[in-house]
Amino acid sequence: MPTSFPQKGRPKSEVLRELRSLQKDDADWQRGRCFAYVYQARDELNELLREAYQLYAKANAVNPGAFPGIKRMERQLIEMAAELFHLPAQDPAKAGTFTSGGSESILLAVLAAREHFRQKRPGKQGEIILSATAHPTFHKAAHYFDLKIVQTPVNSAFKTSPEAVQAQISENTALIVASAPSFPQGIIDPIEELGQIALQHDIPMHVDACVGGFILPFLKRGGVELPDFDFSVPGVTSLSADLHKYGYADKGASLVLFRDSFMRRNSFFTFTSWTGGLYGSTHITGSRSGGPVAAAWALLQHLGMEGYTRLAMQAYTACRQMLRGIEQFPELQVLGRPQATLFALASDSLNVYELADELSLQGWYIDRQQSPPSLHFNITAAHETVVEPFLQDLAKAIEKSKKRSGGFRQKWPLHLVNGLQRLLPETLFSKLRHGLASRLSVPKSGSRSAPLYGMTESLKKSGQLDELIKDLLE
Ligand SMILES: Cc1ncc(COP(=O)(O)O)c(C=O)c1O
């Protein structure tokens, strides 16, 4: 039954009670049992975020003239980030935009590169060179902005190959993309080599530091040896860094920075013939709450370099403890050599999706990945206290997975749809089975070994997997 608009209003207490009850099936991020989506540091920081957010929640950042306080905070955040990422701009405030998240930051950077390309080669379709590990938002940007993706393979260490990128450069290249680090395996691309290629051909290069931007500089400060990844590297022309990831701010907070302010200008939109007045926009979104700006600003002020360095090192220590613990399980392999606080686990002998299901039965939330099948881990400061319990549950889950007649579920496209919404694995499994069954005209019922496995690749090629994902999004 569809929900009807309430005839009479309901008491505040009842509404709040229902809101709380809607949280009951959410991933348990408060206790560090979730390895995706939520970047949690300490509870008392959430209190500060809440208060700061509330102060500005109603204010609309779309008009800086009406809300100069928000404008000031955005400007200061950009200036602080410009310093953090070694941006040698003359006026750092002109070098960036505070956005709603990594996706918007990337969309603006790609739009700027496309405009730049169109100025140089009017009428031509620009190309983005990226590797298989780059975030899907670049594909989305290409889809929105009529650009072509030129995808290069990663090497065996899951790094973008500079040689492969070099081989794909053409007069239509509008942008080169590198990750610091990549989301799936947590690997930092060879930014310096890629920067040299970008410089040599005078092509913009974007560093996607959405996940790494607010941890890598602090890990370095804490003594961890890491390669340079920001504007200190010649050739890097733009960079995205999410405050709402390892900046531990509330969702809706990211920054995109440009080495040259004319590139940022390329991401702006103007319309001068509207009956409503002259219109100018620096964002993909229109109206924006001041809440995320205020919360991020407050947290940066409160933590400072020292606080962030402490949190970064806590996450790093927890991550190294996890990795050391995982070494004792010969069934599991870490993909590549993750340098920061994200990693992926694969297995030659176990079905890792089966393993994830076992762990989720024990209350852990873990993302599934593909090519190769693997499980994804984002380690934050809040995971410090769960390393031991996790490793104990992992040992049990490995034993259980060994006993199951594996194989079938690993081949399911289950991993492609995680993140769409939080569905229980079984619910998702049955939805997928029904969706696939109706598309492929095979019986909907049946055991787990229904004759559907192994079809992922052919489904991908025929476009049916895309349709299936749209079904789920619907
Ligand atoms: C490397 C990277 N880039 C981009 C994004 C997209 O960010 P958002 O989900 O904030 O839009 C993510 C998200 O995890 C990411 O890890």
Side-chain angles (χ1 to χ4, degrees), residues 101-103 106 135 137 181 183 208 210-211 242 244-245:
S103 299
I106 290 171
H135 196 270
T137 298
F183 180 80
D208 178 3
C210 281
V211 72
D242 292 357
H244 67 200
K245 292 196 171 77

Side-chain angles (χ1 to χ4, degrees), residues 184-345:
Q185 295 85 23
I187 308 286
I188 303 174
D189 278 331
I191 312 276
E192 291 200 13
E193 287 96 320
L194 292 167
Q196 281 308 311
I197 297 172
L199 267 187
Q200 193 189 333
H201 297 275
D202 193 21
I203 293 167
M205 172 168 147
H206 182 80
V207 171
D208 178 3
C210 281
V211 72
F214 282 92
I215 192 159
L216 298 181
F218 303 114
L219 290 177
K220 279 186 168 203
R221 212 171 169 267
V224 179
E225 247 185 66
L226 291 168
D228 290 339
F229 69 96
D230 57 18
F231 292 102
S232 58
V233 179
V236 173
T237 55
S238 58
L239 179 144
S240 46
D242 292 357
L243 291 152
H244 67 200
K245 292 196 171 77
Y246 282 104
Y248 295 112
D250 278 345
K251 291 281 179 286
S254 170
L255 295 165
V256 57
L257 301 172
F258 297 93
R259 187 183 287 273
D260 293 305
S261 59
F262 77 86
M263 279 300 265
R264 183 179 76 145
R265 218 175 139 90
N266 276 335
S267 72
F268 294 171
F269 174 77
T270 55
F271 185 63
T272 54
S273 316
W274 186 37
T275 54
L278 301 177
Y279 185 86
S281 168
T282 49
H283 288 72
I284 307 281
T285 53
S287 287
R288 297 185 290 127
S289 166
V293 182
W297 183 90
L299 197 62
L300 251 74
Q301 297 296 333
H302 180 64
L303 285 172
M305 287 272 186
E306 275 180 21
Y308 273 115
T309 305
R310 236 183 347 263
L311 290 177
M313 293 312 290
Q314 274 173 4
Y316 188 77
T317 307
C319 186
R320 297 301 117 181
Q321 285 169 351
M322 285 270 277
L323 290 169
R324 267 198 302 279
I326 285 162
E327 272 173 21
Q328 41 166 324
F329 302 114
E331 299 85 356
L332 299 177
Q333 293 92 45
V334 175
L335 296 178
R337 297 186 58 193
Q339 291 151 292
T341 47
L342 297 92
F343 62 89
L345 287 183

Side-chain angles (χ1 to χ4, degrees), residues 36-56:
Y37 306 113
V38 178
Y39 295 75
Q40 159 73 339
R42 295 194 308 266
D43 283 343
E44 69 269 21
L45 296 180
N46 295 344
E47 282 164 32
L48 171 67
L49 288 171
R50 208 164 18 244
E51 271 190 51
Y53 197 108
Q54 277 314 314
L55 279 175
Y56 284 85

Side-chain angles (χ1 to χ4, degrees), residues 396-456:
K396 287 184 233 154
I398 289 174
E399 286 315 308
K400 284 196 177 154
S401 309
K402 275 187 194 163
K403 289 188 191 130
R404 292 190 77 103
S405 53
F408 169 63
R409 292 172 86 183
Q410 180 130 344
K411 290 170 182 167
W412 273 82
L414 189 69
H415 43 292
L416 291 176
V417 292
N418 70 54
L420 298 182
Q421 47 185 299
R422 197 187 179 240
L423 295 163
L424 289 172
E426 275 311 310
T427 322
L428 185 55
F429 178 75
S430 95
K431 278 204 174 206
L432 275 168
R433 186 164 56 191
H434 281 244
L436 277 174
S438 57
R439 286 183 180 282
L440 298 173
S441 315
V442 296
K444 286 182 195 208
S445 59
S447 72
R448 285 177 169 184
S449 52
L452 294 171
Y453 64 84
M455 288 182 172
T456 311

Side-chain angles (χ1 to χ4, degrees), residues 68-126:
I70 300 177
K71 182 180 163 193
R72 204 165 303 141
M73 286 187 281
E74 287 191 343
R75 186 189 174 102
Q76 290 180 6
L77 283 166
I78 292 162
E79 287 172 354
M80 288 187 275
E83 181 192 337
L84 190 66
F85 301 124
H86 305 103
L87 184 57
Q90 283 173 354
D91 180 355
K94 277 194 184 169
T97 302
F98 179 100
T99 73
S100 61
S103 299
E104 191 180 14
S105 289
I106 290 171
L107 288 171
L108 290 176
V110 174
L111 178 61
R114 191 211 52 187
E115 292 303 287
H116 182 61
F117 173 80
R118 284 190 176 174
Q119 287 148 18
K120 282 201 308 189
R121 287 179 58 74
K124 298 286 177 200
Q125 190 189 33

